[in-house]
Amino acid sequence: MGKSRNNSTIIDKKGNVWMVVLRVGLYERVSTEEQALRGYSIDAQIADLTEYCEKNKMKIFDHYTDEGISGAKPPMKRPALQRLLDDVVAGKIDMILFTKLDRWFRSVKEYFKVQEILEKHGVEWKAIQENYDTTTANGQMAITIFLAVAQNE
């Protein structure tokens, strides 16, 4: 899921070329005022994510913003994340973007619960300011280690 997927072209049997545009859900989160002051503000995240989508010709389906909520909380206690997962299950989103992994999750257990839902529905994710690859064992290990450290901060 962390593996980057760009828009692509498809050529059908008649030779017609079709552009496939990814529908993305943008997830923003801050848990404290201090984070907002250190450059993690919702506005800064929205600006970075929107710029990324424009550069990569991705269609923003919606913004999902959890403000003042810890990344260690379960998805059911994060209203925007729950709404995002509902849209994933409904087939409205192809990819989820966020700025950094710690904006997405700070709990190993909760991350893997959500990852299972994403995989079941063929939805990928990308942290636009970091490089993770969940398609390899090393990539999965790096994510687990990072989340374990973030969980204890």
Side-chain angles (χ1 to χ4, degrees):
M1 306 289 118
K3 185 176 180 184
S4 179
R5 179 171 76 164
N6 293 323
N7 295 323
S8 58
T9 55
I10 297 173
I11 302 173
D12 66 18
K13 292 178 183 178
K14 295 181 181 180
N16 297 317
V17 178
W18 300 88
M19 176 72 164
V20 177
V21 177
L22 292 177
R23 302 163 300 163
V24 297
L26 305 183
Y27 184 75
E28 306 94 16
R29 184 188 65 78
V30 293
S31 57
T32 65
E33 189 174 318
E34 179 185 345
Q35 287 180 334
L37 294 173
R38 290 188 310 181
Y40 294 126
S41 74
I42 295 297
D43 289 341
Q45 291 176 57
I46 289 171
D48 289 349
L49 291 165
T50 301
E51 179 182 352
Y52 183 89
C53 288
E54 289 169 357
K55 284 182 180 176
N56 291 280
K57 297 179 177 39
M58 295 175 163
K59 181 183 186 326
I60 298 172
F61 177 76
D62 205 351
H63 287 268
Y64 303 83
T65 305
D66 279 322
E67 196 163 355
I69 298 177
S70 168
K73 287 195 175 188
M76 283 51 79
K77 298 202 182 224
R78 294 163 64 182
L81 179 57
Q82 189 58 57
R83 187 170 61 85
L84 172 61
L85 293 175
D86 290 345
D87 286 347
V88 164
V89 171
K92 297 177 181 178
I93 296 170
D94 302 307
M95 178 178 274
I96 298 167
L97 298 178
F98 40 88
T99 54
K100 296 182 176 186
L101 188 58
D102 67 357
R103 300 299 86 212
W104 182 233
F105 275 100
R106 294 183 77 87
S107 163
V108 176
K109 177 181 171 184
E110 298 303 330
Y111 165 79
F112 280 107
K113 286 180 185 177
V114 169
Q115 187 66 25
E116 186 175 331
I117 294 167
L118 299 182
E119 288 174 3
K120 180 179 179 182
H121 296 281
V123 174
E124 297 182 355
W125 61 260
K126 179 169 180 58
I128 65 167
Q129 297 173 358
E130 299 169 326
N131 188 21
Y132 294 102
D133 182 357
T134 61
T135 64
T136 66
N138 282 342
Q140 292 170 4
M141 181 181 68
I143 291 166
T144 303
I145 291 168
F146 177 85
L147 289 170
V149 171
Q151 183 173 293
N152 287 318
E153 288 182 337

